[in-house]
Each structure stands twice: as structure tokens, then as C-alpha cells.
Amino acid sequence: MPSTMDSENGTVKHVESSLPSLFEIEESDDDLSGLLEKPRAVNIERKRSFDERSFSEMSITHSPPHNLDSVFSPGRRSSINSPRSSHCVEPHPIIGEAWEALRRSIVQFRGQPVGTLAAVDNSTEELNYDQVFVRDFVPSALAFLMNGEPEIVKNFLLKTLRLQSWEKKIDQFKLGEGVMPASFKVIHDSVKNSDTIAADFGECAIGRVTPVDSGFWWIILLRAYTKSTGDTSLAEMPEFQKGIRLILALGLAEGFDTFPTLLCADGCSMIDRRMGVYGYPIEIQALFFMALRCALFLLKQDEEGREFSDRIIKRLNALSYHMRSYFWLDMKHLNDIHRYKTEEYSHTAVNKFNVMPDSLPDWVFDFMPSRGGYFIGNVSPARMDFRWFCLGNCIAILSSLATPEQASAIMDLIESRWEELVGEMPLKICYPAMETHEWRIVTGCDPKNTSWSYHNAGSWPVLLWLLTAACIKTGRHQLARKAIEQTETRLLKDSWPEYYDGKHGRYIGKQARKFQTWSIAGYLVARMMLEDPSHLGMIALEDDKQMKPPMKKSTSWFC
């Protein structure tokens, strides 16, 4: 594989040029032939997957749609531009503008659409916003799938799978075989009329951190594509089965850790700068859980598939128990921690992580409502990060990592703390912000992550689609509608910024890019899901009765 050396830092930059791509398929290649045909429904007799076996029968109403498989119609084009809606969502004039902006971001590789740019803001320096990011493309992919346009999603999955197979070195250190790139860039040579691809596995990232979440998002998106189109042939290809197993092997590896959670560096996820989320961040654990469950749906039940399925089921049981027991915080758990004893030893210890009660921040006592709860940001020895993180909690609901009681409690918290978490522009990436001395120590005086900005409790419109999906799954449609209507008053007028600043999200982010693609796509996905809740089955997973450890009763009320 061709590579070039970056003279500034000695890192290796991978460039795909002469090697044949998955788009250059020869007729004699039996395994890969016909990949670029339009997705088709394939009626294949196969063993029902883990998530399929646990689904009950129930239709969508204003109560939670428990049977997500039965309500979803594969290949249905969204009717968002028509007045039909079971939840009275009127068409909004910015929808057409949003689709036009989304289509302007589409990236072509050798005549095929393969993704969307992170942003199309010609008023400022590009940096890496002119690349296709794996995590950023997910809401774009969902928008295209919901609109009956799966080709770009299929091409993206094929291309990123190809990039996974590259040898990955950073400063002579070889990365794991299953690592997916953070992003890739299509480089067009107008003289030779040829396209090449340069992929970034972390060697160009700020802080040189390899993304842990890319592989998980890739598996989640592959399931969404399969559920949307009914085309199982892509996921069942040997190359895709191997790609899934390679990603899983990184997460399922056995080592020194005594926890079923994944130990991660700062900056390995959507929060890709130093923000004190090192250890076992909720975002990564929730995505890991969801990817494991999606993999059970995708893996073929051959010898290798069954082996991985057995490992996944064991890990899911351990992970769900750990997260539901130790990451969960409500009024009762908060009071228990407040009364913890320290220096406990043996299996009978209550304070298993030796958390010091004096480390409880003052704000959490006022933030915790009398009903409601959430998964805290991190749990590790002598440390609990009590911050509320949006993405991790929403994914916990969609993946059914949260029990139905916990999912309802999370929504109770969001509703009761609407001004703090939603404000004037949905939605806080985390809460609260770090300020003054804490900000200087934890972020290293990061000028972009100042208080109530960017990752430090800034407001991110892209998170609207996750909130909407969580609202629909828990039967809180009115909350989703309220958040969408708030968004529509600002987004187009403000040129679709990346994030907003301030305690209530009133100001466009000081370094926010305009025409940020996932802000556009996040709005469209939220709109389409609220207009047609059956789309939820593409991304959400049913609760599985086999993964329910004994839990104490939640203080949450039910709707």
C-alpha cells in the first residue's frame, strides 16, 4: 500500500491510489460481484438473532413502541414533505433548505457517492472539516435511508471496510487490525482525472488519539442499512463478517481489567479533546453495548459466528449488570454515596470503588430531581464523574442498556431539567461546564473548551436526532416536538452551525463552522422520525429479557 511520510512529525499517511477499490470489481470475482447493484430484499433462512428472539408484539401508539421490528417497513421513503403524519407534524419551510444543504455535502469517489463532508463552510479555514468522518456520517446515512436512498450508505460501508484492511502505523507503532478510520478524504487530480483516498486513523488527529467509537458506529450503521433495505447480502459477505469480528475482537479482548467496560483514553470519541473523560466514559460503554447487540443481529451462525455470539452474550450480561448497577444515579443512589464508608475490603464491601463522599460535587444535589435519574459519565477506582452526558444516555435508551424504568427516569430528568439541558438550542453535550481552576487543570487551558462552549457543556444541534429517538422509544413525543420546534427558530437563520455557546445555548459557537453537515442531517432525521415513528426500528433495539439483573425499584414515575 502506498504511503507518504509527514516530514513534520514523522507519521505515516496512507494514500489509496493504484490498488483496486471495492468499486472496481471484476466479473470473475465471485465473492464481490454485484456489490454495487441496488439493495434488494433477500429471503434467506437463517437462525434468528439475539435481538430478534426477544421482541414482543406491540404496535406504535403514544406509549413506547416496544416491538421495533414489527413496526418498521423496510425501504419506505419518508413523506416528510407531505402533510400526512400520525403525530400531527406539519411540514416546515426549512426542510427543503436542509435537504439542499445536505446534498451539497456529498462526496464522490470515482463517480460514486461515498459520504458527506463534515462541513461546507467556505468562510473559514477547512482544517479537517473537508473530510468524511465515520461518526459524523451516521445521521447523514440515516437521513438518506429514511428517504429511500440507500446507495450512498452502501458505498460508504464498502469504502470504510476497505480502509479497515490497510496496515495502520503511527510513529512506527502498529494499531489493531480492526481499527476503523476516524475519517477519510477524497483527493481529485484534475490533470490525471483520477481520485485517491487519504485516511486518518488518528495519526493526524489533535492529540493523536485513535477513535474507539468509529468501529462501533460502523456496526450500528450496517445494521441500520440492513434493517432499512432488507438486503442481508451485504452483511453476510465474508469480508463484512470478518470486518465485524475484527472490531469485536478489540472490544472483547481479555486482559488485566476487572471490569467488563472498555478502558479508553481522553479524546477517543465525539468529545475528541482533553475533557477528563478518560477511564470508562459512558459514551463508549453505551456504543460498545449497542454494537455488540447489533453484531448479534448481523453475524452468520457459522462456526466463527457462533463463537463470537457466545462471547458477546457473556459480555453483554456482565456489561449490562455493571452499567445498570454502578453507573446509575438517582436520588436513592446519590444518598447512598453521600453516606458511603471508605477503605472497605473484601467481597462484602458496599463502596466497591472506594469513592470518597467528600468528592461529591455540590451541584449534583441540586441537579438531581426527586424523580428521575441518569447514567453518570464515568466510574473508576476512587473516581466518579457525575456529569450528565447526552449521547451516552440517549444511546443507553436506544440500545436498551437502560431498563424500561431507567429509560423513563432519564426522560423524567430531561423534562424536569429542560432549561439546563435543552435551553434555547438543543442540546447540551454534557452538564455542567467546568470553570475556572477545574477547567485549567482538566482541559489543559484548552481555549476551545472554555466554559459553556464546544465540548465543555456547549449545545450541539446534531444531538436532536438522538433525543428525538429516545423520546419516541419512551413515548415522550411531545418533548421531541418541543425540541424540534425550538431548533427550527434558529438553525437555518444561523446557517446550520456546529454548536452554540452559553448556559442556555443562545450564542453561535465562537469557533463553530457554518453549514455543519451533521447539524443539518440531525434535524432531518429528527423530523422524519417524529413524522413517521416506524423509522425508529432502524436505529433502536428492543429490551432483552435475558439481560435483566435484579434491580432495585426506580423512583421514576411512569407515563
Side-chain angles (χ1 to χ4, degrees):
M1 174 189 58
S3 61
T4 58
M5 180 66 71
D6 187 328
S7 59
E8 291 187 13
N9 54 33
T11 60
V12 177
K13 183 178 182 181
H14 304 294
V15 180
E16 181 184 87
S17 55
S18 58
L19 289 177
S21 76
L22 285 175
F23 299 107
E24 298 175 318
I25 304 164
E26 298 185 11
E27 294 180 2
S28 59
D29 192 336
D30 294 332
D31 292 332
L32 299 179
S33 61
L35 282 183
L36 295 182
E37 296 175 1
K38 290 185 178 180
R40 61 192 185 282
V42 181
N43 186 13
I44 296 177
E45 185 70 26
R46 55 180 292 176
K47 184 177 180 180
R48 287 189 300 162
S49 68
F50 190 59
D51 75 333
E52 288 174 317
R53 290 197 303 270
S54 64
F55 289 172
S56 59
E57 295 293 328
M58 188 175 291
S59 61
I60 276 192
T61 63
H62 281 282
S63 60
H66 292 295
N67 190 348
L68 301 174
D69 269 8
S70 66
V71 300
F72 184 66
S73 177
R76 173 187 281 175
R77 180 181 291 272
S78 173
S79 58
I80 194 168
N81 290 310
S82 71
R84 181 194 65 80
S85 172
S86 59
H87 296 285
C88 302
V89 183
E90 294 298 325
H92 196 280
I94 76 170
I95 293 170
E97 298 280 355
W99 273 111
E100 184 178 338
L102 180 59
R103 296 193 191 284
R104 282 199 302 269
S105 71
I106 293 176
V107 175
Q108 300 278 336
F109 177 76
R110 299 178 186 173
Q112 297 283 348
V114 293
T116 52
L117 298 176
V120 187
D121 185 357
N122 298 321
S123 66
T124 187
E125 185 184 0
E126 285 183 338
L127 292 177
N128 58 353
Y129 285 80
D130 63 343
Q131 298 185 25
V132 180
F133 282 79
V134 172
R135 80 172 69 93
D136 290 40
F137 180 66
V138 171
S140 296
L142 295 177
F144 287 122
L145 289 173
M146 290 177 186
N147 204 45
E149 303 176 55
E151 180 189 10
I152 186 173
V153 183
K154 182 175 185 178
N155 293 345
F156 171 84
L157 291 167
L158 288 162
K159 178 48 60 183
T160 45
L161 179 66
R162 168 75 176 173
L163 298 178
Q164 184 200 42
S165 67
W166 287 6
E167 184 181 80
K168 301 168 278 284
K169 283 186 177 180
I170 299 180
D171 291 336
Q172 306 306 311
F173 182 73
K174 187 175 180 181
L175 302 182
E177 192 178 357
V179 171
M180 279 286 182
S183 64
F184 64 87
K185 181 176 182 177
V186 175
I187 304 168
H188 180 70
D189 187 330
S190 57
V191 177
K192 297 181 180 179
N193 193 27
S194 63
D195 290 339
T196 57
I197 278 187
D200 177 17
F201 292 91
E203 68 265 38
C204 299
I206 295 173
R208 300 301 189 264
V209 178
T210 297
V212 176
D213 61 339
S214 290
F216 300 152
W217 278 123
W218 187 86
I219 291 176
I220 293 166
L221 183 56
L222 178 59
R223 176 193 175 271
Y225 169 87
T226 305
K227 295 288 289 183
S228 173
T229 64
D231 176 17
T232 61
S233 62
L234 192 69
E236 291 182 342
M237 285 175 51
E239 292 78 9
F240 273 78
Q241 291 291 305
K242 179 181 178 182
I244 294 169
R245 292 195 301 268
L246 287 175
I247 295 170
L248 296 177
L250 293 173
L252 295 173
E254 296 175 346
F256 290 99
D257 212 323
T258 57
F259 312 139
T261 43
L262 289 182
L263 182 63
C264 304
D266 240 348
C268 67
S269 59
M270 179 181 174
I271 298 178
D272 57 8
R273 296 164 79 102
R274 178 177 165 186
M275 269 287 291
V277 296
Y278 56 83
Y280 306 90
I282 179 61
E283 176 180 336
I284 292 299
Q285 314 315 320
L287 285 171
F288 181 41
F289 182 90
M290 190 167 192
L292 289 176
R293 292 202 64 195
C294 288
L296 283 174
F297 171 80
L298 297 166
L299 284 171
K300 295 176 68 175
Q301 292 304 301
D302 52 19
E303 185 176 351
E304 288 182 297
R306 284 194 299 272
E307 179 187 348
F308 267 89
S309 294
D310 290 342
R311 293 174 64 187
I312 288 171
I313 291 170
K314 291 177 182 177
R315 187 61 165 265
L316 282 171
N317 280 300
L319 184 60
S320 61
Y321 178 82
H322 184 90
M323 298 298 296
R324 293 169 180 176
S325 300
Y326 304 124
F327 274 68
W328 182 251
L329 189 71
D330 56 18
M331 182 67 82
K332 181 186 183 306
H333 286 90
L334 180 58
N335 202 80
D336 288 344
I337 296 169
H338 177 61
R339 292 170 50 82
Y340 266 169
K341 296 179 181 179
T342 59
E343 304 298 325
E344 291 184 298
Y345 181 77
S346 86
H347 297 289
T348 60
V350 175
N351 186 0
K352 294 184 178 181
F353 299 95
N354 199 36
V355 174
M356 309 298 164
D358 288 344
S359 69
L360 280 163
D362 292 337
W363 64 264
V364 74
F365 293 99
D366 295 327
F367 179 70
M368 182 61 68
S370 57
R371 61 186 180 96
Y374 65 104
F375 288 101
I376 64 175
N378 220 316
V379 176
S380 55
R383 178 175 181 265
M384 297 181 82
D385 182 350
F386 291 94
R387 285 176 293 177
W388 179 88
F389 288 87
C390 176
L391 194 152
N393 276 274
C394 287
I395 290 293
I397 291 174
L398 297 179
S399 65
S400 290
L401 170 59
T403 65
E405 295 83 1
Q406 289 173 336
S408 183
I410 292 170
M411 299 311 300
D412 286 342
L413 177 96
I414 293 173
E415 187 170 9
S416 63
R417 294 291 176 257
W418 189 265
E419 288 302 313
E420 293 94 331
L421 302 180
V422 180
E424 295 187 25
M425 175 53 65
L427 187 67
K428 288 294 180 194
I429 189 172
C430 67
Y431 182 88
M434 293 180 290
E435 302 179 286
T436 60
H437 188 56
E438 182 186 21
W439 165 78
R440 286 191 288 272
I441 292 175
V442 175
T443 74
C445 299
D446 186 348
K448 198 168 186 178
N449 274 330
T450 53
S451 300
W452 309 104
S453 179
Y454 202 47
H455 298 138
N456 192 8
S459 298
W460 292 69
V462 64
L463 298 172
L464 180 65
W465 81 264
L466 286 159
L467 174 65
T468 300
C471 286
I472 294 172
K473 190 178 180 193
T474 55
R476 311 292 181 95
H477 299 80
Q478 74 283 0
L479 289 183
R481 186 179 299 107
K482 181 179 177 182
I484 290 171
E485 289 173 354
Q486 284 183 232
T487 303
E488 289 172 337
T489 64
R490 296 279 305 276
L491 269 184
L492 178 61
K493 182 176 66 175
D494 295 338
S495 301
W496 309 98
E498 179 183 15
Y499 65 94
Y500 286 77
D501 288 346
K503 286 188 177 181
H504 300 286
R506 297 181 63 189
Y507 306 100
I508 298 173
K510 57 189 174 184
Q511 295 187 45
R513 293 302 192 276
K514 300 291 186 69
F515 295 98
Q516 185 81 14
T517 303
W518 69 355
S519 296
I520 299 164
Y523 163 72
L524 285 171
V525 170
R527 257 282 173 174
M528 285 190 279
M529 279 195 293
L530 192 59
E531 187 265 351
D532 184 356
S534 69
H535 289 311
L536 182 66
M538 190 187 301
I539 195 66
L541 299 169
E542 187 68 68
D543 181 56
D544 197 288
K545 305 303 185 291
Q546 299 182 48
M547 293 187 299
K548 296 192 75 169
M551 293 295 301
K552 295 179 181 179
K553 204 168 191 177
S554 172
T555 57
S556 171
W557 293 357
F558 297 93
C559 291

